[in-house]
Amino acid sequence: MLDNANRARERRRNASFWSALTGQRTSKEEDNKLQKTEMKNRASSHLLVILLILILEVAGYWAVHRAALLRGYETSIIGAVRDLLMFLPLVILVIWLSRFMRYRGNWILFSAAVMLFSVGMLIQYRLYSDPEYNARNKAEARQAKMEALRTRYIIENYDPVKKQLMGLPPTPAQAIDVNQLPKRPSNYTLGSALVSSYTWIPIFSFVAFGLAYSFCLRDGFLLWIQRNSFIIVLLTLLPLAVAVVTSSAGKALGNMTPWEPSKIPFLLGFAGILTARYKDLAETYWGIPRARDIVPLLVMAMMPFVPFFALKDFGQMLIFSGAYTTLYLVAVRRWPQLLLFVGSVLLVISILVVGALPRDVQEKVPLLPTVARPIQAMLPSRIQQRFHLWLDGFDPPSPEISWWKKDFDEAVSKDPELKQLAEQSPAMQKIVNVDIWFDKLAFQSAQAIFGIASGKNTGRGLGLGYPEVIPIADSDYVYAAVAEEEGLLGGALVMLAVIILVIAGVRTSLDARDMFTKLCAAGLTAFIGFQALVNVGGILRALPMTGITLPFVSHGGFSLITSFAMLGMLMAFSHRNARDTMLAKAPGGEPRSSLKLEAVE
């Protein structure tokens, strides 16, 4: 920390010396601005922010523990200590970056990510401490919790006469200590913590952060990536082809989304190709680039549609398309092309939305059903289900609709009682259809909306809500769990951290002095921003629900590892920008990036 302060003072002395030597004077306002910027960007300042987050995290874990006692079960002390110890490698990363790597970039990137990561850890702990969340017999676990709450209410509110009639000791109604209530002990052991994915995935994420940061500081690595960008993309297609063959409902290799570890290679490949072609794209005929320049980009842009059709993954298509659109807009700055490109993207999205609209909505517009019918025939059933769930989720589709009939018939055939009820009459078939729709598709979305509504402004309190009724509240629906127990305030805090992280990423892209790192920073920021937008928008029903995780908050699978790797790359680019700026301001310094890439014009 002292080294940072000494280096800052040394830079100001050097600036004063060179201004005096060259006859130029640095104004007092500029010097004050420099001091304020250095104060905000000191590693010590952001280390204090991380320690403050740790204190709030400890308070949150204590609140979860007390709420669990009210419901008749204990939380795991081992799990809490394991989670809080995750702040130790974060502090080590700060020391490693500041003292050994001499980091000069924007620390806000790191602090915002740590804030999101800590919220995710707290919510994971709250959910997995609840015996109902992963219980085989959820009804039994729920009954045990309700019995504990009922017992406490009777002890604290019933008078001695009522208690005696119920066979209880005739004690007066009075508040009791929650530690005196009967409770179910936690079965989470040290061995369970050592083999848990929630222990090792964060550790692998920190390692991925360090590796990504170290590699992206090297000129040779970035040059190699840029020169071999298309080959990298082609090599990435091989495991994806295996994932497509072995996938089921958008998942492959267990419960992993196959496109998650492919984001960074595809981004680097597209950025490298666009860096080599962005000047040629400026040469247009009637606003359209030449075929030899645009065809490689179109091939790359079509790749996000592979999971859309093969893996039926609409969310990944949205994220990849959004990131590629952002890269194109950053590289090509001619208004005719921008308008043509954005218009084409909006046209494709409009066609997809029109094709997925419910039939009753289409019939309200003349000729729309005729236009939408061929598009509807091309869309996978799973995507049409998602759109119906988004636009009219509380009104189940008819069992005769093609994209729902297969699931309905499959559910009825598995349960003879349901089949018998459905065959009794059309009215009974409608009731069975409603049950199957909400059991298979609409249950999670409905529970998430009800939970967010019950949270209101300040939430029900940590451990006092019911996010455990959402089957995957720790992953895709983690924002619903946050909003239910921490309210609009907690949800807004998460979104504010995401916005701060995105703004810092945009600043990193704007400050880049070569096109390749500019595009990489813009693409990484777009991936994080669009993924958060699609996740939260799907939960709030502003967008179709797509099964996308929330960056840094959802701690499952490759999502957290990829997010921290992207953060490491962003911070490496931010450090390069600060280093290049210092070199440019020094006497005889180069007014461009120290990396031997083509400077931005």
Side-chain angles (χ1 to χ4, degrees):
M1 315 309 169
L2 293 176
D3 287 348
N4 286 342
N6 292 334
R7 285 194 294 271
R9 287 193 292 271
E10 185 66 25
R11 284 199 300 272
R12 289 195 293 272
R13 284 197 296 268
N14 289 341
S16 301
F17 171 77
W18 289 113
S19 61
L21 185 64
T22 57
Q24 299 175 353
R25 300 199 174 195
T26 304
S27 66
K28 187 176 181 180
E29 291 78 8
E30 291 179 351
D31 193 47
N32 290 337
K33 185 177 179 181
L34 179 62
Q35 292 184 31
K36 290 179 180 179
T37 303
E38 290 171 348
M39 181 70 71
K40 292 179 181 178
N41 203 42
R42 283 180 181 174
S44 57
S45 302
H46 290 270
L47 185 58
L48 290 176
V49 172
I50 294 175
L51 294 178
L52 177 61
I53 293 173
L54 174 60
I55 294 173
L56 295 175
E57 193 84 345
V58 172
Y61 277 76
W62 176 249
V64 171
H65 173 71
R66 297 284 291 181
L69 294 179
L70 291 176
R71 296 187 173 188
Y73 63 90
E74 285 185 326
T75 57
S76 171
I77 302 300
I78 294 176
V81 172
R82 183 270 314 272
D83 289 352
L84 294 176
L85 284 177
M86 289 298 169
F87 280 86
L88 180 60
L90 290 174
V91 173
I92 293 175
L93 283 177
V94 172
I95 297 174
W96 174 69
L97 288 170
S98 59
R99 299 296 299 272
F100 296 97
M101 304 302 290
R102 308 296 183 187
Y103 181 69
R104 295 290 183 274
N106 192 348
W107 279 102
I108 293 177
L109 291 164
F110 192 79
S111 298
V114 170
M115 179 66 197
L116 293 170
F117 175 74
S118 64
V119 171
M121 278 200 306
L122 182 57
I123 293 299
Q124 310 293 332
Y125 178 75
R126 181 263 176 269
L127 289 170
Y128 282 99
S129 295
D130 196 312
E132 180 184 353
Y133 187 62
N134 271 340
R136 292 182 178 273
N137 191 336
K138 292 184 178 292
E140 182 181 343
R142 168 63 64 87
Q143 181 64 28
K145 292 194 300 182
M146 293 301 102
E147 187 65 31
L149 290 173
R150 188 181 300 111
T151 301
R152 171 177 166 268
Y153 182 83
I154 291 172
I155 294 174
E156 291 188 341
N157 295 279
Y158 279 24
D159 57 30
V161 176
K162 285 186 176 181
K163 290 180 180 178
Q164 190 172 17
L165 291 174
M166 298 179 65
L168 297 174
T171 56
Q174 58 182 356
I176 62 173
D177 186 0
V178 294
N179 292 306
Q180 299 175 355
L181 294 172
K183 48 188 174 291
R184 171 184 172 180
S186 172
N187 58 1
Y188 194 78
T189 63
L190 180 60
S192 301
L194 291 177
V195 299
S196 172
S197 62
Y198 289 91
T199 301
W200 291 104
I201 286 179
I203 294 175
F204 290 150
S205 301
F206 302 148
V207 173
F209 169 88
L211 292 175
Y213 180 84
S214 301
F215 276 107
C216 289
L217 285 182
R218 303 172 182 232
D219 295 355
F221 175 75
L222 295 180
L223 285 168
W224 182 85
I225 290 291
Q226 184 180 350
R227 290 167 181 167
N228 301 279
S229 54
F230 197 74
I231 297 176
I232 292 173
V233 173
L234 293 179
L235 291 177
T236 312
L237 286 175
L238 296 177
L240 286 177
V242 176
V244 169
V245 174
T246 61
S247 67
S248 174
K251 304 292 183 181
L253 304 178
N255 198 36
M256 184 194 77
T257 304
W259 274 74
E260 195 68 44
S262 305
K263 288 180 179 177
I264 295 176
F266 268 91
L267 168 67
L268 295 175
F270 192 76
I273 294 174
L274 198 54
T275 300
R277 298 280 182 177
Y278 81 99
K279 282 187 176 180
D280 297 330
L281 291 172
E283 300 178 7
T284 62
Y285 298 91
W286 302 98
I288 301 176
R290 294 175 298 186
R292 68 181 184 184
D293 300 323
I294 197 66
V295 166
L297 297 178
L298 289 176
V299 171
M300 293 283 292
M302 289 300 294
M303 288 180 181
F305 289 85
V306 174
F308 177 49
F309 290 104
L311 300 178
K312 303 179 179 64
D313 198 338
F314 180 68
Q316 295 294 351
M317 188 274 290
L318 285 179
I319 293 173
F320 275 80
S321 298
Y324 288 161
T325 302
T326 301
L327 291 179
Y328 192 90
L329 295 179
V330 170
V332 181
R333 288 161 285 179
R334 291 180 177 271
W335 281 107
Q337 285 198 58
L338 297 182
L339 293 175
L340 180 64
F341 185 78
V342 173
S344 302
V345 172
L346 293 178
L347 178 62
V348 172
I349 294 175
S350 301
I351 291 173
L352 294 175
V353 172
V354 167
L357 285 174
R359 183 62 59 86
D360 56 343
V361 176
Q362 295 178 2
E363 291 174 351
K364 295 178 181 179
V365 181
L367 299 179
L368 188 58
T370 304
V371 175
R373 189 171 294 115
I375 303 171
Q376 218 167 26
M378 295 174 57
L379 292 176
S381 299
R382 188 164 176 261
I383 304 304
Q384 297 187 54
Q385 292 174 4
R386 297 280 188 177
F387 271 85
H388 186 94
L389 186 63
W390 169 43
L391 298 169
D392 205 6
F394 292 97
D395 185 13
S398 169
E400 302 304 321
I401 293 181
S402 59
W403 52 264
W404 173 238
K405 181 176 176 57
K406 180 181 178 181
D407 290 330
F408 176 82
D409 293 340
E410 181 181 349
V412 169
S413 62
K414 289 182 178 179
D415 193 334
E417 294 183 3
L418 279 181
K419 185 176 182 179
Q420 184 178 2
L421 290 172
E423 292 175 349
Q424 287 183 7
S425 65
M428 189 58 68
Q429 185 191 54
K430 185 176 181 180
I431 294 175
V432 172
N433 183 51
V434 171
D435 290 342
I436 295 175
W437 170 256
F438 280 97
D439 183 59
K440 290 182 67 69
L441 285 180
F443 177 76
Q444 293 183 103
S445 179
Q447 291 296 331
I449 291 296
F450 294 151
I452 293 172
S454 66
K456 297 183 180 179
N457 293 330
T458 56
R460 301 174 66 99
L462 282 169
L464 298 177
Y466 296 94
E468 64 270 14
V469 301
I470 306 173
I472 49 175
D474 62 303
S475 181
D476 298 351
Y477 282 87
V478 68
Y479 184 80
V482 173
E484 179 177 353
E485 298 208 333
E486 300 180 23
L488 178 64
L489 182 63
L493 183 64
V494 169
M495 293 310 301
L496 179 63
V498 172
I499 292 172
I500 291 174
L501 180 61
V502 169
I503 291 175
V506 171
R507 183 74 263 171
T508 301
S509 178
L510 292 175
D511 291 342
R513 292 173 176 265
D514 63 84
M515 182 55 72
F516 183 64
T517 57
K518 178 183 285 291
L519 291 175
C520 287
L524 293 168
T525 305
F527 267 126
I528 294 173
F530 278 111
Q531 185 167 335
L533 177 66
V534 170
N535 176 271
V536 177
I539 292 173
L540 298 178
R541 295 190 65 192
L543 293 171
M545 187 60 201
T546 56
I548 297 297
T549 55
L550 186 58
F552 298 102
V553 183
S554 300
H555 285 196
F558 265 89
S559 176
L560 188 66
I561 298 175
T562 305
S563 297
F564 268 97
M566 290 182 175
L567 176 66
M569 296 175 68
L570 271 176
M571 293 185 67
F573 296 143
S574 180
H575 172 76
R576 297 181 69 90
N577 296 342
R579 184 187 65 188
D580 293 341
T581 301
M582 292 174 62
L583 290 174
K585 289 182 178 179
E590 293 287 340
R592 51 165 293 178
S593 171
S594 59
L595 177 62
K596 302 303 181 182
L597 297 176
E598 191 167 2
V600 178
E601 293 185 351

